[in-house]
Amino acid sequence: VSAYVCELAWLGAGDVESEVVVEVEDGRFSRVGPGAPAPPRAQRLDGLTIPGFANAHSHAFHRALRGRTESDGGSFWTWREAMYSLAGALDPDRYHALARATFAEMALAGITAVGEFHYLHHGPGGAPYDDPNEIGRALVAAAAEAGIRIALLDACYLHGGPGRELEGTQRRFADADAEAWVRRVEELGGLGAGARLGAAIHSVRAVDPASAATVAAWAGARGCPLHAHVSEQPAENEDCRAAHGRTPAALLADAGALSERFTAVHFTHVEERDISLLGDARGYCLLCPTTERELADGIGPARAIADAGVRLALGSDSHAMIDHFEEMRAVELDQRLASGKRGHHTASELLRAATDDGHAAIGWPEAGRIEAGAIADLVTVALDGVRLTGVTPATALESLVFAATAADVRGVVVGGREVVRDGVHAGLDVAAELRAAIGAVTEAAVQR
Ligand SMILES: [Zn+2]
């Protein structure tokens, strides 16, 4: 049993409490007691301690694009060409190194579990590796080495668009058909203690309705999460309507994809009926505001979506930055700019999206709260730095959501294991690993 005394803690609901004693046994919280006597040898956590963040939507290799696509203007679609060029240069070893460093950057930012939406499956030209899941396994190993949990959301990707052939690097993403996707994913087997498997339909661009139904049926039979990119760009909606006479959300509903295990990623350009379909299914909407800004996607109607009964989750997606404080406040602040009004989402609602609901969306429902029985994740934010000093317990939650940054994270415990202490990763030199991994991938991309 290990024990902590949190100077201040937000346990996943309610107000911030003082002097909270937390005990951990076998990776789970065994006792959480505000005002309880501290056991001997309890470690003191100064600052505000919150549950671990779930980064529920990630494409780890996009990390190498950070800052490299900002000077050319263009659109989502020209950005996608840069991403394809990078994807073409990855091999399992380079991807493992890049993912490990990226997941370690997440750990430093207070992220204790990642939902890795994995679509780069095969070798150059689309030839499978000897183990057709070699890259998926490399991602699982990378998360373990970085000290965080992973949901490997294996994405089915079949087409270059409705009725369009695959082109270039897209061949590396694709299985022959949905049945081949099922066979490959079933070969993954058990992934180890810190990893769980989920399914993904890349998008209605890349997966036809019948194949979407096959993936949805597989995920339903297995009871695992199912994610899909939905209505990120207006052109996606137009193509879907032209080809199928429906919106992407309606197509996915007809394919049997929508349920309380379904997560619509982005869900930006949506109609009222799309929102009610997802709300009636009790699904999740996964917002990635820093990426949606970076790619000029637009601002989705987050308040209306939440009011329909949809739970919100957050992801850093393309990793333009990895900072869930920024993702949280962006949900509210973008609504303010779009509406001319303040006060759409409270700090505790935004924190719940980043923690409890985010973990549930990626199939770790027993994480994201500090309560007896839950997975023992603790994220401690320093309150004595220049951004947050002077905070009082009464406004600490609002200060955290609206002013903290990832650099204010001082300590991170994942499943009872200390991964970050005093702002430093316990096992890895994260900046050095990022520098080396990004350098190797970008050099290989130039040489191609
Ligand atoms: Zn994405």
Side-chain angles (χ1 to χ4, degrees), residues 107-346:
L108 289 172
I111 289 159
T112 55
V114 61
E116 179 63 24
F117 193 111
H118 166 49
Y119 60 88
L120 182 71
H121 301 299
H122 302 300
Y129 292 106
D130 289 344
D131 172 1
N133 290 303
E134 185 166 351
I135 296 187
R137 289 189 214 284
L139 291 166
V140 168
E145 289 157 18
I148 67 173
R149 295 184 303 278
I150 186 170
L152 185 69
L153 306 167
D154 194 296
C156 181
Y157 195 112
L158 304 173
H159 314 292
R164 280 205 295 279
E165 298 283 298
L166 299 161
E167 288 173 21
T169 303
Q170 288 173 346
R171 292 192 182 87
R172 298 193 63 180
F173 311 158
D175 296 296
D177 52 30
E179 287 72 28
W181 174 86
V182 168
R183 283 194 298 278
R184 181 176 57 72
V185 170
E186 290 195 333
E187 279 180 32
L188 268 163
L191 297 176
R196 289 180 185 170
L197 183 62
I201 293 164
H202 178 277
S203 58
V204 299
R205 301 192 302 271
V207 182
D208 59 89
S211 300
T214 300
V215 175
W218 184 86
R222 211 185 149 97
C224 72
L226 174 63
H227 287 217
H229 293 117
V230 182
S231 294
E232 179 175 9
Q233 284 279 328
E236 173 191 332
N237 290 0
E238 289 153 23
D239 283 2
C240 187
R241 273 201 180 284
H244 307 294
R246 287 167 285 175
T247 63
L251 185 157
L252 290 165
D254 291 344
L258 271 53
S259 77
E260 72 290 342
R261 289 171 294 95
F262 178 76
T263 295
V265 181
H266 303 303
F267 211 56
T268 306
H269 300 281
V270 289
E271 302 175 0
E272 266 178 47
R273 178 154 184 274
D274 299 332
I275 296 172
S276 60
L277 283 170
L278 189 59
D280 292 348
R282 303 289 302 162
Y284 297 85
C285 168
L286 210 169
L287 303 166
C288 306
T290 67
T291 291
E292 289 152 9
R293 277 177 192 169
E294 211 260 351
L295 297 177
D297 285 343
I299 305 168
R303 185 67 256 170
I305 291 169
D307 286 342
V310 176
R311 288 163 288 180
L312 303 182
L314 298 171
S316 65
D317 189 3
S318 71
H319 313 310
M321 58 172 65
I322 293 174
D323 189 334
H324 261 34
F325 301 98
E326 184 62 28
E327 304 292 349
M328 283 193 285
R329 62 181 158 258
V331 173
E332 166 64 18
L333 298 179
D334 289 356
Q335 295 298 319
R336 291 186 190 178
L337 285 175
S339 69
K341 290 199 202 84
R342 307 171 78 237
H344 304 266
H345 305 270
T346 65

Side-chain angles (χ1 to χ4, degrees), residues 74-81 205 232-233 266 295-297:
S75 66
F76 172 87
W77 307 101
T78 59
W79 170 87
R80 196 175 70 152
E81 289 308 315
R205 301 192 302 271
E232 179 175 9
Q233 284 279 328
H266 303 303
L295 297 177
D297 285 343

